[in-house]
Amino acid sequence: MDAVVVDNLCYKYQPSGRQILKNISFKAGQGEIVAVLGLSGCGKSTLGLCLGGIIPHYLGGELTGRVQVHGIEVKDHNVARLALEVGLVFQDPETQLFLPTVEDEIAFAPENLCLPPEEIGKRVYDMINMLGLSDIRQANPNQLSGGQKHLVALGAVLALEPGILVLDEVMAQMDSTSKKKIKDILVNLRLYGKTILIIEHELESLSIADRILVLEDGALIRDGQASEIVADEEFLARQKLMF
Amino acid sequence: MAFIDLINVSYKYPGQQRTILHDINLSIWNRGCTAVTGSNGSGKTTLSKLLLGILTPVTGLVKLNGQPLTSMTLPQIGRRIGYVFQNPDRQIFCATVEEEISFGLQNQGLSPDQVLQKVKAILDYFELTRYAHTFPLALSAGEKRRLAIAAVLALEPDLLVLDEPTAGLDPYRKRLLGDYLEKIIASHKGVVIISHDHQFIARYATRFIRLKNGQVVEGQGA
Amino acid sequence: MNKLDPRTKIVIILCLSTLAVVLNSPIPLLVLFVLTLVILSTFRINFIGIMFKFKKLLPLLLVMLIVQSVFAAGGETLLAYKGINILTSNGFNAALCILFRMLILFSSAMLIMTSSSKDYVLALVQLKIPYEIAFMVMVAFRFLPVFLEEIKDTLIAVQLRGVDLKRIAWGNKVKFYTHFFTPLLWSVMLKARQLAITMEARAFRVYRRRTYLRVLRYSVLDYYVMAFFLLTTIMVLFYVSLDKFSPGIFSMTDHFQLSPGKPLLTTVALPVLHCQKYKKCPDSCSSGLIKE
Ligand SMILES: Nc1ncnc2c1ncn2[C@@H]1O[C@H](COP(=O)(O)OP(=O)(O)O)[C@@H](O)[C@H]1O
Ligand SMILES: Nc1ncnc2c1ncn2[C@@H]1O[C@H](COP(=O)(O)OP(=O)(O)O)[C@@H](O)[C@H]1O
Ligand SMILES: [Mg+2]
Ligand SMILES: [Mg+2]
């Protein structure tokens, strides 16, 4: 069974507005890292929000087509239920942290799962070690720098242990050490059978991807092996995706 | 005397133990492109806010053209230095994209015609024309970043300080931005870029500063 | 002391503020205020800085003083202008009461800050309040400083683009703020929505119950402290209610005439106020502020 199935997805934020996603169809199998590539404003974040059910449950708009995660229809379940399947790290580092300390932030999701305190403690400990947050364990998330905030948000989502991960330009504000760390973690998670969607601009960050989806103005214009697309410099240059 | 002089500047956030910047001496000219790098949390944003007088050093002094920043008001500083926040949301405060860009220009006392012309030119350059009348906070992250940068570039300050300007920008827009910066630098103005984007700064920067353990280290290899 | 359970702290704050509201004359309030400061210092709270912030309220207090004097009947007239009482002993007392009350309320509220807001969520949840509500309260409290910080940054951005907020005329200022009100309101609403999204995207409210990494437990000290504060408060309340019928130290009216403890305190503890406020009115003062 495919972990993510998107079929003929169309979306507008306002019924009278511009079509943001146009007939998007793709599948992602278990244990696959899929990168989404495209100019800014082409609808990458919007696609991510559709997978997590934020669209249509919170943002409304006009959505047609099908989005399934682990076989369940996104439209028919609330965001909290979907969170058990899909972990979403948002693009804006500022507005996704709301607890007094980094530790509380990471504990929040497992607490919602009604896990016993020992298990919660273990997950918090693991995340803090894995992401190297021990120095800022008791820090106030609001006072961290942008890259640190994204690291904490990632930890908070990973603590849910969802089968599917969507990371929206999470590496953009990180230094090269943190970027490398994230890439290692993602490669490792793939071994555990997680399906990962990453949205990034830097081709360098895409080196871990198995597959790349290229969006142009809301339409999926190419879906292929990562190695093949990265090697196709002519195509990338034409799509203005090379620096 | 440089454009901005930091003299023995130390900084620590109120109520915090850790001193973020120790005794920094640094001169910045309104020429060329200076890149500031450093790991997450090394104090780059803090440094940039000190340059603008948004934060005041705990000890030491920041001078703009020889005049202490503490004796100047923010509008006076803003006329010489343009600043783009790391989080563009915080500096977007108008109801439409067009207004956002014209706001600063109107305060410079330009005639409505001139303002209109400049707004149009910059919207075109940064490919924001199709959003001219939309509400800025409903834009995508990359579009907001471009808007924030464009609104400050339009003012043509002597020195531009950009905090992670390439985050959220695609390669094509990075090129647009970089090329614009080159034009600015060619017209004898200065740019300071805080960035993790090695490709970008390697292409455009002429001077390299790295923050490490609260100290500045100069040089490409630093 | 900082290790105390947040629930105990809530009890302390409730006791102190109940007393502050119930007590109605300057001396007991002053005693209570000193007691509050002692409590704060056992919590190692630096209250001096906060007290300085209170300086800004002094003009307001002066206005209160006059208003109370003009409208509150009774008491000794200390200063009169064309037959209107500008300063009376009752007014003076009432103003002092307000000052002490505010000081007590504010400083006892500082106890709140010695626990993290997450602990208050736990406290509320363990007091059997639904966790959704507990989190709502916490998020609201946490959101406020973040939001103020953002407004500060936005105002900086506005000034850097050429508006001198300190110097523009009042008319323009009003225009300016109304101009930015709509985008600001929008941004607050978007933030609130994003917050709700973030919480739900981390499985908030997926089950009716939820567990916690830490659980609050009362220690022996908590029991002692709580018992002490509750008992003292109840005793004082009892005493005050008795006092209503047979006026004594906690008397509600005519403090200076009836309370035996007062002359000492007004002369000892308030000498500064004394010479400042009464110098100018030799006539009324000659008859004496304090009548035995
Ligand atoms: N809340 C919103 N309301 C209306 N339009 C929006 C909203 N969010 C994004 N858009 C528009 O949708 C398009 C796609 O945005 P997004 O998916 O965020 O792009 P990106 O590929 O950069 O992540 C953009 O052109 C943007 O202007
Ligand atoms: N408002 C604040 N209050 C307290 N500490 C802060 C605040 N902002 C940043 N810090 C701390 O200062 C350090 C430097 O932050 P910053 O200058 O944002 O780093 P960066 O180099 O990533 O831009 C960080 O460790 C952060 O925790
Ligand atoms: Mg995006
Ligand atoms: Mg920064």
PDB file of all heavy atoms in Angstrom, chain C residues 21 47 62 75 93 108 118 130 143-144 159 185 191 199 204 213 229 231 234 245 290 292:
ATOM      1  N   VAL C  21      -8.042  43.025  50.175  1.00  0.00           N
ATOM      2  CA  VAL C  21      -9.332  43.615  49.839  1.00  0.00           C
ATOM      3  C   VAL C  21     -10.165  43.856  51.100  1.00  0.00           C
ATOM      4  O   VAL C  21     -10.842  44.865  51.227  1.00  0.00           O
ATOM      5  CB  VAL C  21     -10.085  42.704  48.846  1.00  0.00           C
ATOM      6  CG1 VAL C  21     -11.514  43.182  48.661  1.00  0.00           C
ATOM      7  CG2 VAL C  21      -9.363  42.675  47.522  1.00  0.00           C
ATOM      8  N   PHE C  47      12.115  42.422  44.209  1.00  0.00           N
ATOM      9  CA  PHE C  47      10.924  43.263  44.085  1.00  0.00           C
ATOM     10  C   PHE C  47      11.269  44.731  43.971  1.00  0.00           C
ATOM     11  O   PHE C  47      10.428  45.548  43.648  1.00  0.00           O
ATOM     12  CB  PHE C  47       9.960  43.036  45.249  1.00  0.00           C
ATOM     13  CG  PHE C  47      10.605  43.061  46.601  1.00  0.00           C
ATOM     14  CD1 PHE C  47      10.913  44.262  47.203  1.00  0.00           C
ATOM     15  CD2 PHE C  47      10.895  41.880  47.258  1.00  0.00           C
ATOM     16  CE1 PHE C  47      11.496  44.280  48.443  1.00  0.00           C
ATOM     17  CE2 PHE C  47      11.491  41.897  48.508  1.00  0.00           C
ATOM     18  CZ  PHE C  47      11.794  43.105  49.109  1.00  0.00           C
ATOM     19  N   LEU C  62      -2.084  60.712  43.629  1.00  0.00           N
ATOM     20  CA  LEU C  62      -2.382  62.071  44.106  1.00  0.00           C
ATOM     21  C   LEU C  62      -3.798  62.468  43.709  1.00  0.00           C
ATOM     22  O   LEU C  62      -4.540  63.043  44.499  1.00  0.00           O
ATOM     23  CB  LEU C  62      -1.370  63.063  43.515  1.00  0.00           C
ATOM     24  CG  LEU C  62      -0.127  63.238  44.375  1.00  0.00           C
ATOM     25  CD1 LEU C  62       0.891  64.111  43.665  1.00  0.00           C
ATOM     26  CD2 LEU C  62      -0.516  63.866  45.718  1.00  0.00           C
ATOM     27  N   GLY C  75     -14.169  62.902  58.569  1.00  0.00           N
ATOM     28  CA  GLY C  75     -12.753  63.023  58.818  1.00  0.00           C
ATOM     29  C   GLY C  75     -12.340  64.475  59.001  1.00  0.00           C
ATOM     30  O   GLY C  75     -13.130  65.404  58.822  1.00  0.00           O
ATOM     31  N   ASN C  93      -6.415  58.650  54.196  1.00  0.00           N
ATOM     32  CA  ASN C  93      -6.418  57.237  54.554  1.00  0.00           C
ATOM     33  C   ASN C  93      -6.833  56.367  53.382  1.00  0.00           C
ATOM     34  O   ASN C  93      -6.219  55.337  53.104  1.00  0.00           O
ATOM     35  CB  ASN C  93      -7.400  56.995  55.702  1.00  0.00           C
ATOM     36  CG  ASN C  93      -6.766  57.353  57.018  1.00  0.00           C
ATOM     37  OD1 ASN C  93      -5.560  57.244  57.157  1.00  0.00           O
ATOM     38  ND2 ASN C  93      -7.568  57.812  57.961  1.00  0.00           N
ATOM     39  N   SER C 108       2.102  40.305  45.269  1.00  0.00           N
ATOM     40  CA  SER C 108       1.781  38.890  45.483  1.00  0.00           C
ATOM     41  C   SER C 108       1.634  38.179  44.139  1.00  0.00           C
ATOM     42  O   SER C 108       2.003  37.022  44.004  1.00  0.00           O
ATOM     43  CB  SER C 108       0.512  38.737  46.323  1.00  0.00           C
ATOM     44  OG  SER C 108      -0.590  39.248  45.632  1.00  0.00           O
ATOM     45  N   LYS C 118       3.686  26.001  32.415  1.00  0.00           N
ATOM     46  CA  LYS C 118       3.307  24.591  32.264  1.00  0.00           C
ATOM     47  C   LYS C 118       2.857  24.006  33.605  1.00  0.00           C
ATOM     48  O   LYS C 118       1.937  23.199  33.672  1.00  0.00           O
ATOM     49  CB  LYS C 118       4.506  23.818  31.708  1.00  0.00           C
ATOM     50  CG  LYS C 118       4.280  22.336  31.492  1.00  0.00           C
ATOM     51  CD  LYS C 118       3.473  22.064  30.253  1.00  0.00           C
ATOM     52  CE  LYS C 118       3.090  20.610  30.101  1.00  0.00           C
ATOM     53  NZ  LYS C 118       4.204  19.690  29.961  1.00  0.00           N
ATOM     54  N   PRO C 130     -10.902  20.758  33.050  1.00  0.00           N
ATOM     55  CA  PRO C 130     -10.622  20.096  31.767  1.00  0.00           C
ATOM     56  C   PRO C 130      -9.332  20.624  31.141  1.00  0.00           C
ATOM     57  O   PRO C 130      -9.071  21.819  31.193  1.00  0.00           O
ATOM     58  CB  PRO C 130     -11.820  20.471  30.899  1.00  0.00           C
ATOM     59  CG  PRO C 130     -12.897  20.822  31.849  1.00  0.00           C
ATOM     60  CD  PRO C 130     -12.242  21.340  33.081  1.00  0.00           C
ATOM     61  N   PHE C 143       0.953  33.898  25.041  1.00  0.00           N
ATOM     62  CA  PHE C 143       0.842  34.584  23.772  1.00  0.00           C
ATOM     63  C   PHE C 143       1.070  36.079  23.947  1.00  0.00           C
ATOM     64  O   PHE C 143       1.654  36.721  23.088  1.00  0.00           O
ATOM     65  CB  PHE C 143      -0.565  34.333  23.234  1.00  0.00           C
ATOM     66  CG  PHE C 143      -0.659  34.416  21.757  1.00  0.00           C
ATOM     67  CD1 PHE C 143       0.349  33.916  20.975  1.00  0.00           C
ATOM     68  CD2 PHE C 143      -1.765  34.977  21.149  1.00  0.00           C
ATOM     69  CE1 PHE C 143       0.266  33.978  19.601  1.00  0.00           C
ATOM     70  CE2 PHE C 143      -1.857  35.048  19.782  1.00  0.00           C
ATOM     71  CZ  PHE C 143      -0.838  34.550  19.011  1.00  0.00           C
ATOM     72  N   LEU C 144       0.642  36.590  25.078  1.00  0.00           N
ATOM     73  CA  LEU C 144       0.662  38.028  25.300  1.00  0.00           C
ATOM     74  C   LEU C 144       2.069  38.640  25.157  1.00  0.00           C
ATOM     75  O   LEU C 144       2.268  39.539  24.352  1.00  0.00           O
ATOM     76  CB  LEU C 144       0.062  38.319  26.670  1.00  0.00           C
ATOM     77  CG  LEU C 144      -0.406  39.747  26.843  1.00  0.00           C
ATOM     78  CD1 LEU C 144      -1.655  39.988  25.991  1.00  0.00           C
ATOM     79  CD2 LEU C 144      -0.699  40.027  28.305  1.00  0.00           C
ATOM     80  N   GLN C 159       9.377  52.850  12.315  1.00  0.00           N
ATOM     81  CA  GLN C 159      10.223  54.017  12.560  1.00  0.00           C
ATOM     82  C   GLN C 159      11.431  54.026  11.643  1.00  0.00           C
ATOM     83  O   GLN C 159      11.839  55.064  11.147  1.00  0.00           O
ATOM     84  CB  GLN C 159      10.675  54.034  14.012  1.00  0.00           C
ATOM     85  CG  GLN C 159       9.521  54.250  14.963  1.00  0.00           C
ATOM     86  CD  GLN C 159       9.982  54.315  16.404  1.00  0.00           C
ATOM     87  OE1 GLN C 159      10.704  55.205  16.789  1.00  0.00           O
ATOM     88  NE2 GLN C 159       9.577  53.337  17.182  1.00  0.00           N
ATOM     89  N   LEU C 185      -4.831  43.617  13.510  1.00  0.00           N
ATOM     90  CA  LEU C 185      -5.890  42.730  13.964  1.00  0.00           C
ATOM     91  C   LEU C 185      -5.846  41.423  13.162  1.00  0.00           C
ATOM     92  O   LEU C 185      -5.943  40.326  13.693  1.00  0.00           O
ATOM     93  CB  LEU C 185      -7.236  43.415  13.776  1.00  0.00           C
ATOM     94  CG  LEU C 185      -8.373  42.838  14.588  1.00  0.00           C
ATOM     95  CD1 LEU C 185      -8.140  43.105  16.062  1.00  0.00           C
ATOM     96  CD2 LEU C 185      -9.700  43.438  14.149  1.00  0.00           C
ATOM     97  N   LYS C 191      -2.260  34.607  13.641  1.00  0.00           N
ATOM     98  CA  LYS C 191      -1.380  33.959  14.623  1.00  0.00           C
ATOM     99  C   LYS C 191      -2.176  32.992  15.477  1.00  0.00           C
ATOM    100  O   LYS C 191      -1.745  31.868  15.727  1.00  0.00           O
ATOM    101  CB  LYS C 191      -0.744  35.006  15.543  1.00  0.00           C
ATOM    102  CG  LYS C 191       0.199  35.908  14.855  1.00  0.00           C
ATOM    103  CD  LYS C 191       1.637  35.579  15.183  1.00  0.00           C
ATOM    104  CE  LYS C 191       2.510  36.103  14.080  1.00  0.00           C
ATOM    105  NZ  LYS C 191       2.345  37.565  13.927  1.00  0.00           N
ATOM    106  N   MET C 199      -1.214  23.215  17.427  1.00  0.00           N
ATOM    107  CA  MET C 199      -1.548  22.315  18.526  1.00  0.00           C
ATOM    108  C   MET C 199      -2.250  21.075  18.007  1.00  0.00           C
ATOM    109  O   MET C 199      -1.916  19.950  18.384  1.00  0.00           O
ATOM    110  CB  MET C 199      -2.419  23.045  19.558  1.00  0.00           C
ATOM    111  CG  MET C 199      -1.649  24.087  20.337  1.00  0.00           C
ATOM    112  SD  MET C 199      -2.680  25.043  21.451  1.00  0.00           S
ATOM    113  CE  MET C 199      -2.787  23.943  22.830  1.00  0.00           C
ATOM    114  N   PHE C 204      -3.261  17.338  19.539  1.00  0.00           N
ATOM    115  CA  PHE C 204      -3.952  17.853  20.715  1.00  0.00           C
ATOM    116  C   PHE C 204      -5.423  17.468  20.626  1.00  0.00           C
ATOM    117  O   PHE C 204      -6.049  17.634  19.591  1.00  0.00           O
ATOM    118  CB  PHE C 204      -3.798  19.373  20.761  1.00  0.00           C
ATOM    119  CG  PHE C 204      -4.305  20.005  22.033  1.00  0.00           C
ATOM    120  CD1 PHE C 204      -3.773  19.647  23.261  1.00  0.00           C
ATOM    121  CD2 PHE C 204      -5.297  20.967  21.994  1.00  0.00           C
ATOM    122  CE1 PHE C 204      -4.218  20.237  24.422  1.00  0.00           C
ATOM    123  CE2 PHE C 204      -5.750  21.564  23.152  1.00  0.00           C
ATOM    124  CZ  PHE C 204      -5.211  21.195  24.372  1.00  0.00           C
ATOM    125  N   LEU C 213       4.208  14.437  31.386  1.00  0.00           N
ATOM    126  CA  LEU C 213       5.573  14.012  31.669  1.00  0.00           C
ATOM    127  C   LEU C 213       5.835  14.097  33.169  1.00  0.00           C
ATOM    128  O   LEU C 213       6.389  13.200  33.765  1.00  0.00           O
ATOM    129  CB  LEU C 213       6.549  14.901  30.901  1.00  0.00           C
ATOM    130  CG  LEU C 213       8.034  14.680  31.136  1.00  0.00           C
ATOM    131  CD1 LEU C 213       8.417  13.253  30.784  1.00  0.00           C
ATOM    132  CD2 LEU C 213       8.854  15.646  30.300  1.00  0.00           C
ATOM    133  N   PHE C 229      -1.247  29.760  55.910  1.00  0.00           N
ATOM    134  CA  PHE C 229      -1.893  30.903  55.244  1.00  0.00           C
ATOM    135  C   PHE C 229      -3.404  30.844  55.384  1.00  0.00           C
ATOM    136  O   PHE C 229      -4.044  31.850  55.666  1.00  0.00           O
ATOM    137  CB  PHE C 229      -1.477  30.966  53.775  1.00  0.00           C
ATOM    138  CG  PHE C 229      -0.196  31.713  53.592  1.00  0.00           C
ATOM    139  CD1 PHE C 229       1.008  31.042  53.589  1.00  0.00           C
ATOM    140  CD2 PHE C 229      -0.202  33.091  53.450  1.00  0.00           C
ATOM    141  CE1 PHE C 229       2.197  31.732  53.453  1.00  0.00           C
ATOM    142  CE2 PHE C 229       0.981  33.777  53.312  1.00  0.00           C
ATOM    143  CZ  PHE C 229       2.193  33.101  53.315  1.00  0.00           C
ATOM    144  N   LEU C 231      -5.215  29.364  57.703  1.00  0.00           N
ATOM    145  CA  LEU C 231      -5.646  29.612  59.077  1.00  0.00           C
ATOM    146  C   LEU C 231      -5.540  31.097  59.424  1.00  0.00           C
ATOM    147  O   LEU C 231      -6.468  31.698  59.953  1.00  0.00           O
ATOM    148  CB  LEU C 231      -4.813  28.777  60.053  1.00  0.00           C
ATOM    149  CG  LEU C 231      -5.222  27.298  60.096  1.00  0.00           C
ATOM    150  CD1 LEU C 231      -4.338  26.527  61.062  1.00  0.00           C
ATOM    151  CD2 LEU C 231      -6.690  27.173  60.477  1.00  0.00           C
ATOM    152  N   ILE C 234      -8.242  33.093  57.724  1.00  0.00           N
ATOM    153  CA  ILE C 234      -9.560  32.887  58.325  1.00  0.00           C
ATOM    154  C   ILE C 234      -9.655  33.616  59.663  1.00  0.00           C
ATOM    155  O   ILE C 234     -10.640  34.291  59.957  1.00  0.00           O
ATOM    156  CB  ILE C 234      -9.840  31.377  58.507  1.00  0.00           C
ATOM    157  CG1 ILE C 234     -10.060  30.770  57.131  1.00  0.00           C
ATOM    158  CG2 ILE C 234     -11.054  31.147  59.393  1.00  0.00           C
ATOM    159  CD1 ILE C 234     -10.073  29.269  57.112  1.00  0.00           C
ATOM    160  N   PHE C 245     -18.499  45.304  64.583  1.00  0.00           N
ATOM    161  CA  PHE C 245     -19.470  45.644  65.627  1.00  0.00           C
ATOM    162  C   PHE C 245     -18.805  46.350  66.790  1.00  0.00           C
ATOM    163  O   PHE C 245     -19.398  47.174  67.441  1.00  0.00           O
ATOM    164  CB  PHE C 245     -20.196  44.373  66.080  1.00  0.00           C
ATOM    165  CG  PHE C 245     -20.838  43.672  64.921  1.00  0.00           C
ATOM    166  CD1 PHE C 245     -20.288  42.529  64.374  1.00  0.00           C
ATOM    167  CD2 PHE C 245     -21.974  44.213  64.325  1.00  0.00           C
ATOM    168  CE1 PHE C 245     -20.858  41.917  63.287  1.00  0.00           C
ATOM    169  CE2 PHE C 245     -22.543  43.591  63.239  1.00  0.00           C
ATOM    170  CZ  PHE C 245     -21.989  42.447  62.706  1.00  0.00           C
ATOM    171  N   ILE C 290      -3.300  64.119  64.408  1.00  0.00           N
ATOM    172  CA  ILE C 290      -3.641  62.983  65.241  1.00  0.00           C
ATOM    173  C   ILE C 290      -4.299  63.499  66.508  1.00  0.00           C
ATOM    174  O   ILE C 290      -3.723  64.296  67.246  1.00  0.00           O
ATOM    175  CB  ILE C 290      -2.366  62.226  65.615  1.00  0.00           C
ATOM    176  CG1 ILE C 290      -1.692  61.758  64.335  1.00  0.00           C
ATOM    177  CG2 ILE C 290      -2.669  61.065  66.530  1.00  0.00           C
ATOM    178  CD1 ILE C 290      -0.234  61.982  64.340  1.00  0.00           C
ATOM    179  N   GLU C 292      -5.857  62.584  70.021  1.00  0.00           N
ATOM    180  CA  GLU C 292      -5.943  61.485  70.989  1.00  0.00           C
ATOM    181  C   GLU C 292      -7.308  61.511  71.656  1.00  0.00           C
ATOM    182  O   GLU C 292      -7.852  62.550  71.914  1.00  0.00           O
ATOM    183  CB  GLU C 292      -4.859  61.660  72.068  1.00  0.00           C
ATOM    184  CG  GLU C 292      -3.455  61.479  71.510  1.00  0.00           C
ATOM    185  CD  GLU C 292      -3.226  60.087  70.950  1.00  0.00           C
ATOM    186  OE1 GLU C 292      -3.723  59.114  71.542  1.00  0.00           O
ATOM    187  OE2 GLU C 292      -2.566  59.973  69.910  1.00  0.00           O
TER     188      GLU C 292
END
